[in-house]
Amino acid sequence: MEPHFIKGGKYEKWNPLFETLATFAFTPKLVTNKGTHIRDGVDLKRTMFTVVIALIPCLIFGIYNTGHWEMAVVEGNRDLPYFSEMLSKFLMGLAIVLPVVVVSYGVGLTIEFIFGMLRGHSLHEGFLVSGMLIPLTMPADVPLWMVGLATAFAVIIGKEIFGGTGMNVVNIALTARAFLFFAYPTSMSGDKVWMSGLGEKMNTNAADLDGFSGATALGDLASFMSDKATVAGEAVQSNLAVQSFSNEYGAWEAFMGMIPGSIGETSTMACLIGALLLVFTGVGSLRIILSFFIGGFVMGLLLNLVGGNPYLDLPAYYHLIIGGFAFGAVFMATDPVTASQTATGKIIYGFFGGFLAIMIRVLNPAYPEGVFLAILFMNVMAPIIDHYVVQANINRRLKRLKTI
Amino acid sequence: MSNTISIRKGLNIRLVGEATKEIKEVPVSGIFGVSPLDFHGLTPKMAVKEGDTVLVGDVLFFDKKKETIKFVSPVSGSVKQIVRGEKRKIISVLVESDGKQEAKGFSIKPMKDQTAEDVKNLLLESGFWSSMKQRPLDIIADPSNNAKGLFVSSFDSAPLAPDYEFILKDEMEVLQIGFDALSVMMEGKVHLSSKPNSNFSKIQGVIHHSFDGLHPAGNVGTQMHHIDPVNKGEFVWSINIQEVAEIGKFLTSGSINSSRKMALTGSEVTTTTYLNVTRGSQIKPLVKNAVDATNVRYISGNVLTGDKKELTDYIGHYHNQITVIPEGNEYKFFLTSGWLGHGFDKFSNSRLFPTFLLPKSKKFRLDTNTNGEERAFVVSGELERVFPFDILPVQLTKAAITNDIDGMENLGIYEVAPEDFALCEYVCTTKINIQEKIRQGLDLIASECM
């Protein structure tokens, strides 16, 4: 079959597609011709596939959690027991999440193939991961066309115009998320988007849903900064706000992820399982993940020190387990292409990523999800951090010359 | 003796096929080749014509730019052919042996009367100088420079590398004479790096250093970096320890002995051994009756830095081993032995493969498959784990790829040779030919800055 696709063959134009499928099924018979005669077994396909595996706990949990809140909406009961009717919740979740995943991969891979054919190279593996990350950062109620649009924007503007996998400046999945956040803010924030079907149901059937709120932990927290503090839609006294908040979102529930939020981000536990795999295999940088958490915690403590309103008084550890903080730390900040590449740089990059994430989240309630903005910002700053680390190495070598 | 320097950033690639410690003689017969291509950047000028009769040690060609650097015939006989490639570039000079190994005589003063200039001239005349390498640039040393040091490594830590303690066990005396001569010649210091408790620590008149740990602990580049790194404007030289012993022999006998001991190694060799061969030997007689398989790669040198050879090619000038490994030119189904396979048959520095679970005694039969396609740099922190230099390997490689001369200078291009990056190239997930990129960077530096 191969002769039809190589240069001069009948389907020469389709070679990238053929090559992609062939190299997916078979490691190609390429042999070393220069330099080392043997090569390590590892390649980018296996590396990227490992990240996808690491995302599976988040995906499975996300499907269940989405199903749970969908059912809560259907029954109009926010206090629905979490571990009941598990199969039907899972299936309900699957019906929501699977189309999002399919759209993300479908749109992204199509665009990558088109670019691959224009440039005459086979599909590069980067999108295997991005295609899974994008759905997991989406709110449950996101319209599918938005997922497709955001994916297209992220792949074309975020990656392909820079030259493809390995050349992008900012994280692809976060580019998609940021695009939707700024282009369609009403579909990406507020109370109604986090539980599937809630917006629609509220419009048609408001009476049934009296007193039902789709608020997320972050949404509630943002209200603490205003005059009217609310927890799960109900007004609370500001002196009781923190306590009422931790009743609604217990630390354990928040850690396990049994709260409303984006599809894959709610469970810190699932993220940490993924982190274990990434750090153990060396695919994800422990330096970045740890310093990201430390950075966030330090900012949380600083805010506690300032104090004065319920949000600032929220215990620092809470910041690490609500919203997309853990998901961002483990899967977004560690993207090796857009993170710092030097060992020292990774620590600085991670620390400020976490630090800024909490700063934006708390001090600018218009952007309750500060994590993705902070990581995007640090993506842009990473080359500068690296520049100074490299400069330090250069200076050390110059100093060596002077001391001799 | 100074303290032992232990190299922790590195990798010992455990391959099947280490040479058993016996020495087999290979008779001198047939055709021998000396290739100018073994010496990077050399423009040769011929000193003989086809049909000329030569003795061992007669000059075959010399360096057109530095005419004192000469390249001599390893055998006595007649010049059979000067093989030329495109634009009449000289590929190799073939000499047909007459089997007698008659050697040209050199008149040599007693050692105590030799001056630095005398020794240098003797090495240049006898062709030994071609084994002297310099950094920066990793080319034949320029005899008109003053090097701040001469570095010799007494062990090779590359996969399946020969054991010089074994090769030189009966040659300590000539080795000492060789080092004495080099000490006379050198204005700078002579450094000898060995493993801890090595026999070579008996050598006198040199500064001893002790290294152990992972490959590249035995690479002279690693040792230079930890002993006395090269800065811009400085030169250091290095020479293989077997050559030092041969220099010693040459100075005592007055004639060149062109035999060298090499290790015949690799998973495809049925009877691995050490060979006593003549320089410039064809590969074919050396591996006769020792390799059964046909789809194999013959490598002059080790698997990390050696040259790919055909059976009819000749062993390279700087090489002390021949490695034979299977070719990997076949498709591998992704679930069985491909990218998503269990991977127990692969040797990987990454925990994505189960290599780390296997006992240290497990050895691997690796083929030449790249195990993936080339991509842009994606993974970070991976090269640094096998690169024991205070140099940023990714950044330096990127500077070399982008022809960024300032960047390369600042990041340490003067200190390195392509072989220092061999392990980086091995572990690279994105399969970039890093050694080639570094060589291109060095070529640019050579043409623009030297």
Side-chain angles (χ1 to χ4, degrees), chain B residues 281-292:
Chain B
S281 218
Q282 212 171 28
I283 305 279
K284 204 170 176 179
L286 308 185
V287 298
K288 206 167 83 181
N289 300 331
V291 179
D292 292 337

Side-chain angles (χ1 to χ4, degrees), chain A residues 223-282:
Chain A
S223 75
F224 290 3
M225 295 298 272
S226 65
D227 298 339
K228 287 179 254 167
T230 57
V231 169
E234 288 169 35
V236 289
Q237 294 288 322
S238 71
N239 53 348
L240 295 174
V242 170
Q243 201 191 346
S244 146
F245 177 82
S246 46
N247 285 340
E248 177 69 26
Y249 310 98
W252 178 246
E253 278 81 26
F255 178 73
M256 292 304 289
M258 291 143 43
I259 54 174
S262 292
I263 291 171
E265 69 169 22
T266 59
S267 173
T268 307
M269 180 72 196
C271 293
L272 289 183
I273 295 173
L276 265 183
L277 179 67
L278 291 186
V279 169
F280 182 76
T281 55

Side-chain angles (χ1 to χ4, degrees), chain B residues 179-190:
Chain B
F179 274 112
D180 290 345
L182 291 175
S183 304
V184 168
M185 182 189 78
M186 288 297 297
E187 277 181 36
K189 296 163 183 159
V190 179

Side-chain angles (χ1 to χ4, degrees), chain B residues 13 285 289 401:
Chain B
I13 302 170
N289 300 331
I401 292 172

Side-chain angles (χ1 to χ4, degrees), chain B residues 77-350:
Chain B
S78 59
V79 179
K80 188 169 161 51
Q81 196 190 351
I82 297 166
V83 184
R84 289 176 187 270
E86 280 171 30
K87 297 185 185 166
R88 291 183 51 76
K89 183 180 178 181
I90 300 168
I91 305 292
S92 63
V93 181
L94 306 185
V95 183
E96 185 158 23
S97 165
D98 57 11
K100 295 179 199 144
Q101 285 303 77
E102 286 172 54
K104 177 181 169 185
F106 289 81
S107 64
I108 294 172
K109 288 190 278 187
M111 202 55 219
K112 59 182 185 333
D113 301 335
Q114 301 266 12
T115 63
E117 210 49 35
D118 292 340
V119 176
K120 193 179 265 183
N121 285 335
L122 269 175
L123 296 186
L124 285 164
E125 286 300 316
S126 58
F128 276 108
W129 193 267
S130 60
S131 301
M132 185 78 79
K133 281 191 145 184
Q134 77 165 40
R135 294 200 187 194
L137 300 185
D138 190 39
I139 53 173
I140 297 178
D142 183 345
S144 58
N145 286 333
N146 282 325
K148 72 169 178 174
L150 171 69
F151 291 80
V152 181
S153 172
S154 75
F155 68 106
D156 189 341
S157 53
L160 305 177
D163 177 2
Y164 291 119
E165 301 243 356
F166 172 70
I167 288 179
L168 298 173
K169 66 179 188 296
D170 300 326
E171 301 191 0
M172 281 302 182
E173 283 166 35
V174 284
L175 191 60
Q176 181 65 57
I177 295 168
F179 274 112
D180 290 345
L182 291 175
S183 304
V184 168
M185 182 189 78
M186 288 297 297
E187 277 181 36
K189 296 163 183 159
V190 179
H191 302 273
L192 175 62
S193 306
S194 312
K195 283 189 213 165
N197 310 318
S198 153
N199 273 336
F200 294 114
S201 58
K202 293 177 207 145
I203 298 289
Q204 287 162 1
V206 297
I207 303 173
H208 284 283
H209 303 274
S210 166
F211 280 85
D212 70 357
L214 302 168
H215 180 62
N219 274 12
V220 74
T222 312
Q223 296 165 356
M224 287 169 183
H225 183 79
H226 286 88
I227 296 167
D228 188 5
V230 193
N231 297 298
K232 188 179 179 182
E234 296 175 336
F235 291 91
V236 295
W237 293 344
S238 66
I239 190 166
N240 181 278
I241 191 159
Q242 202 178 174
E243 294 298 320
V244 180
E246 293 303 329
I247 290 171
K249 262 185 226 168
F250 165 66
L251 293 174
T252 22
S253 68
S255 63
I256 294 169
N257 172 9
S258 46
S259 71
R260 292 289 180 281
K261 296 198 176 68
M262 297 187 88
L264 176 58
T265 62
S267 58
E268 302 312 288
V269 179
T270 48
T271 45
T272 60
T273 180
Y274 283 82
L275 301 171
N276 195 8
V277 304
T278 306
R279 252 206 163 137
S281 218
Q282 212 171 28
I283 305 279
K284 204 170 176 179
L286 308 185
V287 298
K288 206 167 83 181
N289 300 331
V291 179
D292 292 337
T294 48
N295 189 21
V296 294
R297 175 172 299 188
Y298 297 97
I299 301 164
S300 171
N302 64 53
V303 290
L304 292 177
T305 59
D307 294 334
K308 179 182 173 182
K309 299 280 182 187
E310 301 301 326
L311 276 177
T312 49
D313 288 341
Y314 305 88
I315 47 183
H317 182 85
Y318 293 107
H319 299 143
N320 292 291
Q321 77 184 100
I322 294 166
T323 314
V324 189
I325 57 171
E327 281 285 6
N329 49 358
E330 53 202 21
Y331 289 109
K332 295 175 178 178
F333 184 58
F334 78 113
L335 285 177
T336 52
S337 53
W339 63 274
L340 204 50
H342 56 78
F344 281 100
D345 52 342
K346 300 227 162 59
F347 182 86
S348 178
N349 196 37
S350 153

